[in-house]
């Protein structure tokens, strides 16, 4: 008998539902919220209200595209945390009511674990090569920058993480300083492709071990701009592609330097990247270069699996379902936690 999992993701500002059958993705529907662009960041109250409007039609559409009825579902997997509490509560509450009405199990998923396990999503007609355990995963997003040792789908250890800002957060804030808009990641990425990454130099942190820090880079970028604009008020406009390319190159260098150390220290050559920043062109190219130079076997996710999506929640739910790792309906959402 087939195992069919409905996944629900509502940790931030994307409402998403996906259906996975026996490990293969049947549908992955994402409803994004444009309302936050005017505020330069996600407004939690507006996000949770939008989730309330979107979740029923999104789930309906996911089931429709998958050609699955709700009665055929084996379980409901949902993001329990971390994330914005108001947004999480919408998804968690819906999942509880939906699962209870169908009398099927619930599976709680850690959002960060989901990003890593997105590498195990299979799709018909596509090459579905998956990492072998153990492997390293660089998890980089707006809220997290971590190097994770993945021994099994349910056995992960954080080897290093940011002690202040995440890489994605640094990119967004530097984009804001340049007046480029929100979210900054795609804007900086697009500009960086046209620029020279060696024109400008920004300070890099000296943090022991495998931990990251990006607050110093952010400050260096701000102060450098301030000094350059004293002599040339239109400095940003005249140099924005080179600024974007130099900023991106600095962040990628910081990320890859620690990842190289981790791969050498733990003698692992299967290396994956996950999270929103894994969509960045510069980071993807760096992974390909490292694969060639150091003999790494790399795993780069499809663009649709980099941002928040329910497919990664559904595949995690599918893996947990095999072990009957279900959760109680009493479990609350949580806003902060690591893996």
């Amino acid at each position: 008998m087939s195992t069919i999992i409905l996944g629900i993701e509502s940790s931030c500002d994307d409402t998403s539902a996906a259906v996975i059958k026996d490990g293969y993705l049947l549908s992955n529907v994402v409803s994004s919220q444009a309302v936050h662009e005017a505020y330069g960041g996600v407004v939690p109250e507006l996000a949770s209200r939008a989730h309330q409007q979107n979740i029923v039609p999104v789930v309906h559409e996911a089931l429709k595209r998958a050609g699955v009825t709700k009665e055929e579902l084996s379980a409901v997997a949902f993001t329990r945390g971390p994330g914005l509490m108001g947004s999480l509560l919408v998804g968690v509450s819906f999942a509880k009511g939906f699962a209870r009405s169908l009398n099927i199990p619930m599976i709680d998923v850690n959002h960060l674990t989901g990003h890593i396990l997105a590498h195990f999503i299979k799709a018909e007609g596509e090459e579905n090569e998956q990492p072998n355990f153990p492997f390293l995963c660089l998890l980089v997003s707006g809220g997290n920058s971590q190097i994770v040792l993945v021994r099994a789908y349910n056995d992960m250890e954080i080897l290093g993480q940011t002690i202040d800002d995440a890489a994605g957060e640094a990119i967004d804030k530097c984009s804001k300083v340049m007046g480029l808009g929100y979210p900054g990641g795609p804007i900086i990425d697009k500009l960086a492709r046209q620029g020279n990454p060696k024109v400008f130099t920004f300070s890099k942190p000296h943090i022991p071990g495998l931990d990251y820090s990006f607050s110093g880079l952010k400050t260096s970028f701000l102060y450098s701009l301030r000094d350059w604009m004293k002599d040339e008020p239109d400095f940003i406009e005249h140099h924005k592609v080179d600024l974007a390319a130099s900023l991106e190159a600095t962040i990628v260098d910081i990320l890859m330097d620690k990842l190289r150390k981790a791969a050498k220290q733990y003698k692992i050559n299967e290396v994956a990247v996950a999270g929103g920043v894994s969509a960045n062109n510069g980071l993807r190219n760096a992974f390909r270069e490292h694969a060639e130079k150091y003999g790494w076997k790399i795993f780069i996710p499809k663009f649709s699996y980099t941002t928040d999506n329910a497919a990664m929640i559904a595949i995690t739910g599918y893996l947990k379902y095999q072990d009957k790792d279900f959760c109680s309906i009493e479990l609350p959402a949580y806003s902060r936690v690591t893996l």
Side-chain angles (χ1 to χ4, degrees):
M1 186 175 172
S2 293
T3 299
I4 305 176
I5 306 293
L6 171 68
I8 294 172
E9 156 62 22
S10 70
S11 65
C12 190
D13 62 333
D14 289 333
T15 314
S16 182
V19 177
I20 276 184
K21 180 179 181 180
D22 297 332
Y24 283 85
L25 185 65
L26 301 183
S27 66
N28 187 27
V29 179
V30 181
S31 176
S32 300
Q33 303 174 8
V35 66
H36 307 286
E37 290 175 15
Y39 300 94
V42 176
V43 182
E45 176 66 20
L46 296 178
S48 56
R49 290 187 184 198
H51 283 303
Q52 289 176 324
Q53 294 173 335
N54 294 337
I55 194 156
V56 171
V58 163
V59 170
H60 175 78
E61 184 64 21
L63 291 171
K64 182 181 171 184
R65 290 187 192 178
V68 167
T69 65
K70 60 182 186 294
E71 288 78 19
E72 293 177 273
L73 294 173
S74 307
V76 177
F78 63 97
T79 301
R80 190 175 154 218
L84 298 174
M85 183 54 78
S87 296
L88 288 166
L89 283 172
V90 176
V92 171
S93 300
F94 179 88
K96 287 180 177 181
F98 198 67
R100 175 60 65 90
S101 70
L102 295 169
N103 198 29
I104 56 177
M106 294 173 58
I107 302 170
D108 65 314
V109 175
N110 180 308
H111 178 80
L112 305 180
T113 302
H115 272 302
I116 294 171
L117 295 180
H119 288 285
F120 293 86
I121 300 168
K122 294 186 285 188
E124 292 286 356
E126 293 183 8
E127 187 180 336
N128 295 301
E129 190 175 19
Q130 302 169 347
N132 293 305
F133 300 116
F135 67 92
L136 289 178
C137 185
L138 176 65
L139 175 56
V140 272
S141 66
N144 298 279
S145 294
Q146 301 176 336
I147 298 173
V148 183
L149 173 59
V150 187
R151 297 188 183 92
Y153 89 86
N154 56 357
D155 182 5
M156 302 184 190
E157 179 187 351
I158 297 172
L159 305 179
Q161 60 187 331
T162 181
I163 61 173
D164 42 53
D165 294 345
E169 186 181 357
I171 293 172
D172 282 343
K173 288 182 178 176
C174 289
S175 171
K176 196 171 182 179
V177 167
M178 290 172 69
L180 298 178
Y182 174 87
I187 301 170
I188 293 291
D189 191 15
K190 187 177 179 181
L191 290 172
R193 297 183 199 197
Q194 307 164 51
N196 181 348
K198 296 181 179 175
V199 172
F200 302 107
T201 303
F202 305 107
S203 68
K204 295 180 183 178
H206 299 284
I207 307 296
L210 298 175
D211 285 336
Y212 289 115
S213 169
F214 291 99
S215 64
L217 167 63
K218 202 174 59 181
T219 305
S220 169
F221 187 81
L222 174 63
Y223 287 170
S224 296
L225 281 186
R226 185 188 65 183
D227 294 341
W228 293 326
M229 287 172 69
K230 283 178 185 174
D231 301 323
E232 186 184 344
D234 294 330
F235 184 88
I236 293 174
E237 185 57 36
H238 293 159
H239 301 88
K240 62 183 179 183
V241 293
D242 292 334
L243 282 167
S246 300
L247 173 67
E248 180 183 273
T250 305
I251 288 176
V252 169
D253 280 350
I254 294 168
L255 290 170
M256 298 308 292
D257 178 58
K258 293 295 178 85
L259 190 59
R260 277 196 308 275
K261 288 178 181 174
K264 186 177 180 181
Q265 185 176 330
Y266 287 86
K267 297 180 174 59
I268 292 176
N269 72 341
E270 297 216 7
V271 187
V273 62
V277 182
S278 67
N280 179 273
N281 190 59
L283 184 58
R284 286 173 171 249
N285 287 338
F287 259 74
R288 296 184 187 105
E289 289 164 9
H290 277 61
E292 201 170 303
K293 188 172 181 180
Y294 298 101
W296 288 2
K297 188 174 183 183
I298 57 168
F299 298 88
I300 300 174
K302 284 175 61 176
F303 284 108
S304 57
Y305 301 154
T306 59
T307 52
D308 295 347
N309 67 92
M312 66 187 196
I313 306 305
I315 192 63
T316 307
Y318 172 75
L319 294 169
K320 292 182 78 170
Y321 186 89
Q322 309 308 306
D323 290 336
K324 299 291 183 279
D325 186 1
F326 306 140
C327 74
S328 161
I329 198 167
E330 280 81 26
L331 284 183
Y334 52 80
S335 59
R336 288 180 176 273
V337 77
T338 55
L339 283 170

